Amino acid sequence: MSWKWVLTGAVAAAGAVFGARRLKRALEHPFARAERELDERDRTLREEHPDTVALRHRAHYLSETGDLAGALEVSERMLAERIRALGEDHPHVLVTRHNLATLRGRAGDAAGAAEELERLALDMERVHGADYVYTRTALRAAAHWRKEAAGDTE
């Protein structure tokens, strides 16, 4: 075997190794970044979880016992915690916003509930699309509270 063949083989092998490494890095990069982000959010959720659960239970208790003003205050704190831990577009944050708007309507602020639900529907559409079931649910709830605000109870 001549030295040209040996050199050609060595260059080809080095190129294959280099190409494989580049491919591996290119394929791992998005997943590695996503895993780091998920790890960070999981860590944050583990740290916030007991407090968030306690706030959720406290808000539910206050709502069920008729203290809607107290339930609103606790729910707003819970929403702030969830936004801080999960980000604006996380499904738990969107559900919390929906529940808070509904609670606001039950507390007598039908116009405020309708406005919040309309903003929520826009965010749901941006995040999930116009045909997403909860986008339509938010729109229907906004229409309901708009009727309540106008005094139309039919």
Side-chain angles (χ1 to χ4, degrees):
M1 189 167 358
S2 77
W3 65 272
K4 288 181 183 177
W5 285 106
V6 172
L7 184 59
T8 303
V11 169
V17 168
F18 180 71
R21 284 186 184 166
R22 285 187 62 195
L23 180 61
K24 183 179 177 186
R25 259 184 295 183
L27 292 176
E28 281 182 345
H29 180 68
F31 300 118
R33 183 173 153 221
E35 283 182 4
R36 280 194 309 275
E37 186 175 322
L38 287 173
D39 287 344
E40 176 66 23
R41 287 190 178 181
D42 285 346
R43 184 187 57 75
T44 303
L45 279 176
R46 281 192 303 275
E47 290 173 2
E48 300 296 328
H49 181 71
D51 293 339
T52 303
V53 170
L55 288 173
R56 185 167 47 94
H57 288 295
R58 182 76 177 148
H60 180 74
Y61 171 78
L62 291 171
S63 173
E64 291 297 312
T65 59
D67 184 2
L68 297 178
L72 274 170
E73 180 184 322
V74 172
S75 294
E76 287 170 349
R77 283 194 354 237
M78 182 175 66
L79 177 62
E81 282 293 315
R82 284 189 167 172
I83 288 172
R84 186 181 69 73
L86 303 170
E88 292 276 343
D89 296 334
H90 192 276
H92 290 166
V93 171
L94 297 173
V95 168
T96 302
R97 286 177 57 197
H98 188 277
N99 293 341
L100 181 60
T102 300
L103 187 58
R104 189 173 307 287
R106 287 181 47 216
D109 185 8
E115 289 173 14
E116 286 183 28
L117 286 161
E118 288 165 353
R119 283 193 302 270
L120 175 63
L122 291 173
D123 290 340
M124 287 279 212
E125 184 174 349
R126 177 179 50 78
V127 173
H128 298 292
D131 293 333
Y132 186 60
V133 65
Y134 293 116
T135 302
R136 295 189 308 251
T137 300
L139 287 171
R140 281 194 304 272
H144 166 77
W145 290 112
R146 277 282 169 227
K147 283 184 182 180
E148 287 284 327
D152 183 11
T153 57
E154 289 181 29

